[in-house]
Amino acid sequence: MGSIYSPSSGIAPVDVQTFSTPGAFVWTKPDDAKIVEVILIGAGAGGGSGRRGAAGAVRGGGGAGSGGSYLHFVIDASLLAATVNGSVGAGGTGGAAQGSDTTNGIAGAVGGPTVFDILQALGGSAGGGGAGSGGTAGAAKTGLLEDLTRGNSGIGGVGGAGTTPAGPAVPDYAAGGGGGGGGITSGNVALNGTAGAAVGSYYNGVIAGGTVGASGNPATAGGDGNTIADMVGGTGGGGGGSNAAGAAAAGGNGGAPGGGGGGGGASVNGNASGAGGNGGNGRAIIVTRF
């Protein structure tokens, strides 16, 4: 919470209250408030884990969780009560590493919504577990009352590397989706995951997502998404690399606020697949102008 005022510049005083801890909060309207800007970012979803299967079979990497939605709403302060209830969404957990032979990966969990009174920014959609083809991607979500698509999601590859579908162009103030986990081809070739989606920011330019997890023995985990300090969504976690001879690697965690978790890599029977990365928590920013 803080106030910003520059008499020499003529900029009006502004009160900024930021809520980043998952769970309920209560906002108190400052005295003499005129206009209230509500900025909500839903939590990112978890990525799915990769498939564990027999050598010579196609094993898909886990699908990535999508980023949480973004909502920006301007309200006449007189329409708001003296206190307003809200809540910050918790990031969805990634799917656990698959511990059973010849079994598909485990889906991640959805991200929680971030709420201020009747306004709501929805959490991201969960990434699916890797199968005999790639894991399904979490779908982009929109903010309630505004048709704003603000989540790019990764998808596990079909016996190949995870890919990031085209989706919407990277918008300002987005929350990025994770990268898909690496799969394994029928020729027993292990492949890399993909990078998490970047986000755009007026303040920081384009902010990169989590790095690619490399395949091999050992495979490497996808990089975590970047956590952003201003009014911008976090970037997505990278997808984990697959391993045709040992344990696969996990997807990276989504950055806060709202980045999607990366998918885990696929593995061969007798070895754990890669777990999905966790989604980033949401955020509420309430700006009051006097």
Side-chain angles (χ1 to χ4, degrees):
M1 175 178 178
S3 296
I4 304 170
Y5 182 45
S6 175
S8 61
S9 69
I11 297 174
V14 174
D15 176 84
V16 181
Q17 299 186 42
T18 300
F19 303 91
S20 300
T21 302
F25 67 84
V26 177
W27 174 79
T28 300
K29 182 167 64 175
D31 294 338
D32 301 320
K34 298 294 190 294
I35 297 294
V36 177
E37 291 185 64
V38 179
I39 298 163
L40 305 178
I41 302 172
S49 60
R51 177 176 169 82
R52 173 169 162 169
V58 173
R59 286 146 281 167
S66 71
S69 67
Y70 176 92
L71 187 146
H72 183 187
F73 215 78
V74 179
I75 307 171
D76 187 314
S78 66
L79 301 177
L80 295 174
T83 59
V84 176
N85 293 322
S87 62
V88 173
T93 56
Q98 183 52 260
S100 299
D101 286 346
T102 317
T103 306
N104 290 341
I106 299 169
V110 299
T114 296
V115 178
F116 181 83
D117 197 23
I118 64 169
L119 301 177
Q120 183 175 182
L122 300 177
S125 298
S133 57
T136 55
K141 284 297 189 71
T142 58
L144 189 66
L145 302 184
E146 287 194 34
D147 186 18
L148 297 176
T149 299
R150 289 292 188 264
N152 294 331
S153 56
I155 184 169
V158 180
T163 59
T164 301
V170 176
D172 293 305
Y173 302 126
I184 306 175
T185 70
S186 59
N188 220 38
V189 176
L191 295 132
N192 299 337
T194 51
V199 297
S201 166
Y202 287 125
Y203 303 105
N204 299 314
V206 176
I207 303 164
T211 54
V212 169
S215 62
N217 190 12
T220 62
D224 292 339
N226 284 293
T227 292
I228 311 302
D230 56 25
M231 300 175 188
V232 183
T235 67
S242 60
N243 191 344
N253 298 321
S267 67
V268 67
N269 283 342
N271 298 275
S273 72
N278 299 325
N281 295 326
R283 181 178 296 164
I285 304 169
I286 315 302
V287 181
T288 304
R289 304 185 185 277
F290 301 93

